[in-house]
């Protein structure tokens, strides 16, 4: 029985199972101000046979309730993002340098920062790829940005289409607000950006701190300008730096992370299952091959 929201806790009493797992992949209060763990979620965490938690800050907050708790970070379909592909048609005509964001456009982004950067740097082109969440508080920001000649919104894409864009950005950005919700997230785009090989700049939220060696984490608007400018320079775009970023992302391929979860579940189920997993060869994640484009 595999659950991933506290709303599903009643399922534990509906059908028999050999192992119950609760996978926490978000702060389900969605509150920008930290609030205590709800009684319902605390009970579910305590009752589950195995708990998986996806971010360091959530692990710190909720990981002590159940001794059978494992860290299970978000990952990436490595080859989808790393394998070279032609430029999608709607980005091909946008001049360089491109400062790109791929993913849902939502209230958790620092829209004031983005407005400031676009105004300060008319020589940079800011590209947003993804659907707009129905958050009324961001509508005015998106309207203002849409009016700028150096900003492009390319709209909603499928998951497969989205993977084709980051490698065609010059700098990939994760411009989150810093609040009591974003400190608990683990951005999917972290390893997607690294797999693309392109330089990345992000807000210093908890889950990005461990990647400070490969992601620039500026604090202020001035530092954001400087970090993006540095990321456009030759040092950040050397083949060596690209290799370092992709090698790290490769360790977070979903095949590898899913196997770890399966191994943990098998250990809990008993030797028959552990032996079955052990007999299955580990997945080898190929390197990107430009000849396959």
């Amino acid at each position: 029985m595999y659950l991933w929201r506290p709303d599903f806790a009643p399922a534990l009493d509906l059908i028999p199972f050999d192992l119950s797992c609760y996978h926490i992949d978000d702060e389900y209060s969605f509150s920008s101000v930290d609030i205590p763990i709800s009684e319902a979620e605390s009970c579910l965490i305590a009752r589950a046979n195995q708990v998986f938690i996806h971010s360091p800050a959530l692990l710190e907050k909720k990981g002590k309730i159940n001794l059978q708790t494992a860290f299970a970070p978000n990952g990436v379909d490595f080859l989808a993002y790393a394998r070279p592909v032609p430029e999608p048609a709607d980005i091909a005509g946008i001049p360089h340098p491109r400062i790109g964001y791929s993913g849902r456009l939502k209230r958790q982004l620092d829209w004031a920062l983005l407005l400031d950067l676009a105004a300060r740097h008319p020589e940079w082109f800011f590209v947003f790829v993804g659907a707009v969440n129905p958050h009324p508080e961001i509508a005015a920001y998106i309207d203002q940005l849409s009016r700028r000649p150096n900003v492009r919104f390319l709209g909603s894409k499928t998951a497969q289409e989205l993977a084709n864009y980051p490698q065609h950005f010059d700098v990939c950005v994760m411009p989150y607000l810093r609040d009591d919700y974003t400190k608990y997230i683990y951005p999917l785009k972290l390893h997607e950006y690294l797999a693309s090989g392109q330089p990345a700049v992000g807000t210093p939220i908890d889950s990005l701190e461990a990647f400070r060696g490969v992601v620039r984490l500026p604090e202020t608007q001035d530092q954001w300008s400087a970090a993006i400018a540095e990321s456009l320079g030759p040092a950040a775009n050397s083949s060596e730096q690209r290799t370092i970023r992709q090698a790290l992302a490769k360790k977070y391929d979903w095949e590898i992370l899913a196997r770890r979860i399966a191994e943990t579940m098998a250990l809990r189920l008993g030797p028959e299952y552990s032996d079955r997993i052990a007999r299955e060869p580990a997945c080898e994640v190929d390197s990107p091959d430009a000849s396959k484009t």
Side-chain angles (χ1 to χ4, degrees), residues 1-13 17 20-24 28 37-51 62 65-66 68-69:
M1 173 72 76
Y2 206 99
L3 311 175
W4 63 95
R5 290 289 287 266
D7 318 56
F8 303 146
L12 294 175
D13 298 312
F17 53 83
S20 62
C21 299
Y22 177 42
H23 194 140
I24 304 172
Y28 298 119
I37 307 169
S38 71
E39 183 178 353
E41 187 172 28
S42 292
C43 290
L44 175 55
I45 294 171
R47 187 178 174 189
N49 302 133
Q50 177 66 50
V51 178
K62 302 180 180 182
I65 297 173
N66 189 324
Q68 299 297 335
T69 296

Side-chain angles (χ1 to χ4, degrees), residues 94-279:
I94 299 175
H96 293 269
R98 300 169 184 158
I99 314 305
Y101 172 92
S102 63
R104 298 195 73 86
L105 307 179
K106 50 198 173 183
R107 62 173 173 255
Q108 289 83 12
L109 300 183
D110 192 339
W111 292 99
L113 169 67
L114 291 167
L115 273 173
D116 177 78
L117 289 171
R120 285 194 193 200
H121 299 283
E123 75 280 14
W124 298 345
F125 284 79
F126 293 81
V127 183
F128 298 89
V129 186
V132 179
N133 275 9
H135 296 161
E137 59 267 49
I138 70 174
Y141 288 112
I142 291 178
D143 180 64
Q144 291 179 66
L145 283 165
S146 298
R147 297 171 187 273
R148 296 201 59 84
N150 63 331
V151 176
R152 301 286 191 277
F153 289 92
L154 303 187
S156 181
K157 309 294 177 184
T158 66
Q160 292 75 22
E161 290 169 337
L162 205 63
N164 297 331
Y165 286 85
Q167 64 184 264
H168 298 294
F169 300 155
D170 295 293
V171 179
C172 303
V173 294
M174 293 175 277
Y176 295 106
L177 290 171
R178 295 180 76 178
D179 60 29
D180 288 337
Y181 172 74
T182 58
K183 77 179 182 182
Y184 291 124
I185 68 173
Y186 193 110
L188 280 169
K189 58 185 56 57
L190 166 61
H191 298 299
E192 293 169 352
Y193 286 169
L194 293 176
S196 78
Q198 299 301 88
V201 179
T203 301
I205 57 176
D206 284 42
S207 57
L208 299 186
E209 285 290 348
F211 300 92
R212 196 175 271 276
V214 289
V215 179
R216 287 176 171 80
L217 300 176
E219 299 267 355
T220 66
Q221 291 180 338
D222 287 344
Q223 289 174 0
W224 265 89
S225 287
I228 292 174
E230 290 169 5
S231 297
L232 291 169
N237 287 278
S238 67
S239 59
E240 179 184 8
Q241 288 301 309
R242 182 182 184 85
T243 299
I244 289 171
R245 290 189 283 263
Q246 290 189 316
L248 179 55
K250 196 173 181 180
K251 296 177 182 178
Y252 289 83
D253 186 88
W254 282 121
E255 293 282 354
I256 295 170
L257 300 183
R259 184 183 178 94
R260 288 180 194 163
I261 291 173
E263 288 170 345
T264 301
M265 294 167 66
L267 283 171
R268 303 302 314 284
L269 286 166
E272 175 189 349
Y273 295 90
S274 294
D275 292 346
R276 190 185 305 175
I277 290 286
R279 289 195 297 270

